[in-house]
Every structure is written in structure tokens, then in C-alpha cells.
Amino acid sequence: MILKRIFDGAVVLLALPIWLPLLAVLALIVRIKLGSPVFFRQKRPGKKGVVFELLKLRTMTNARDAAGRLLSDDQRLTAFGRWLRSTSLDELPELWNVLKGDMSLVGPRPLLIQYLDRYTPEQARRHDVAPGITGWAQIHGRNAISWDDKFKLDVWYVDHWSLGLDIQILIRTLVKVIRREGISAAGEATMPEFMGNPNRLKADKP
């Protein structure tokens, strides 16, 4: 997908005068409101499951309970952090991941490493392409749809990729962001943990 890589790089570099100053201002606000570190860094699996370091703006505090355990995401998510997520501005640093080639502008979202062993073979096909900042699943419900539906949409994208589809997804993503749709699942800060498909072992068998 050389064309996809060229397209990603061209879009990110052309938009650099817009997103880089905005990122600098937001990073300063995060530093003032939440302290250091400004960036949230986490290892995530990319294309073919190769691990890379994902960058996002920090949206949560490090608040812990009496036993020293981190509080739930919803308890640590600040009002400013919630706004960053609702506008998707917390994901601006991922443009650096795109420039490095770890990610694409469009593709299945990079999830947690521990999920790798929980996928069915069909669900694991989402890693046949580079993960994206936005994707087919994001414009069809984002975090408001089930894991099963999300993975089906991811695999559909893998099978139907085209440059025209990527452009369509980017345009529709802007509309979703403006409307702030599908930000989280009901009762969750984002999505509940994916625990795997109960029929995974059956699905693994021919």
C-alpha cells in the first residue's frame, strides 16, 4: 500500500502549519491543568502485530485509592480531558505516529496488546493493515457499538480498502467529530475491556 503511505505523509505534512501550533497550545494547557507528563504513551500492536509506542495527549489524572491502585478511567477523567476526547483533539500526537509509519490516517484503531490472544482468526485480520487514527468502525458508531460489530467493520475495511474509501472516511470523520457522536459506550468512559469471544476456541477449529 505504497500509495496509502504517500497519501498519509502528504496530508499530514500539508496540514502541519495547522495542527502543530494547535498541538503546542493544547500541550501547554494539559501541562497547566494535569501536570507532567503531557503525553500519554502506551505500547500498541500495529500492522502484523508489530508493537509501537502510541502517543496521545494526556486526559486523566494519576489519582489512586488508599491501596495505591489507580482509580477507574471515569474517576480519573477530568472535565478538560473529557472535552479533549469528545473533540478527538487528544489524538493529535498520533499524527507523529503516522509520519513515522507506525500508523495510517485511516485503519482499524490500535487496541491493547493483551487483546491479541483474545481475537478469533477472523478478528485478527484487522492487523493486516496499519492501524489508523480513524476508520470504518469509527464512522459507524465509534465506541457506541459492540466489540463484535467493531471488528466486523475493521475486517470489512481490510477487504475493501481503496484511496477513495480513505478520503470518504476522513470526510465523514470530520462530521462525526463536529457532532461528537459515539464518544463512549453506555456507562463507560470509552469502551469496556474486550475479554474475547466466548466461542473463540470453536472459531479456531476448521
Side-chain angles (χ1 to χ4, degrees), residues 37 48 53 62 65 67 72 75 93 99 127 140 164 170-171 179 182:
K48 304 301 181 184
E53 186 175 69
N62 290 321
D65 62 19
S72 68
Q75 291 174 296
L99 283 177
H127 290 288
H140 285 88
L170 288 172
I171 294 172
R179 294 178 178 174

Side-chain angles (χ1 to χ4, degrees), residues 125-137:
R125 292 181 55 221
R126 67 191 306 278
H127 290 288
D128 287 350
V129 297
I133 295 178
T134 185
W136 192 239

Side-chain angles (χ1 to χ4, degrees), residues 63-195:
R64 298 174 181 270
D65 62 19
R69 295 183 295 260
L70 282 173
L71 298 178
S72 68
D73 288 357
D74 191 55
Q75 291 174 296
R76 293 186 295 119
L77 188 60
T78 65
F80 176 66
R82 199 177 298 277
W83 177 80
L84 279 178
R85 289 192 178 194
S86 70
T87 57
S88 296
L89 289 173
D90 63 315
E91 302 197 19
L92 272 179
E94 290 173 36
L95 292 173
W96 173 245
N97 288 121
V98 174
L99 283 177
K100 288 175 60 184
D102 297 327
M103 294 178 63
S104 174
L105 289 174
V106 180
R109 284 294 298 165
L111 302 176
L112 300 178
I113 291 176
Q114 58 261 39
Y115 291 0
L116 287 174
D117 292 334
R118 302 176 187 176
Y119 298 135
T120 65
E122 180 68 6
Q123 291 169 342
R125 292 181 55 221
R126 67 191 306 278
H127 290 288
D128 287 350
V129 297
I133 295 178
T134 185
W136 192 239
Q138 276 58 53
I139 64 171
H140 285 88
R142 197 174 173 183
N143 292 326
I145 58 177
S146 69
W147 281 116
D148 189 51
D149 288 340
K150 188 188 294 284
F151 295 146
K152 286 178 181 177
L153 290 165
D154 287 342
V155 173
W156 185 94
Y157 172 80
V158 171
D159 291 337
H160 296 84
W161 175 83
S162 71
L163 189 57
L165 179 61
D166 275 8
I167 294 172
Q168 176 193 150
I169 291 172
L170 288 172
I171 294 172
R172 291 176 64 179
T173 295
L174 289 176
V175 175
K176 290 286 185 180
V177 169
I178 292 171
R179 294 178 178 174
R180 301 189 185 183
E181 295 176 346
I183 298 168
S184 61
E188 300 283 345
T190 50
M191 281 283 288
E193 182 178 355
F194 173 62
M195 301 306 297

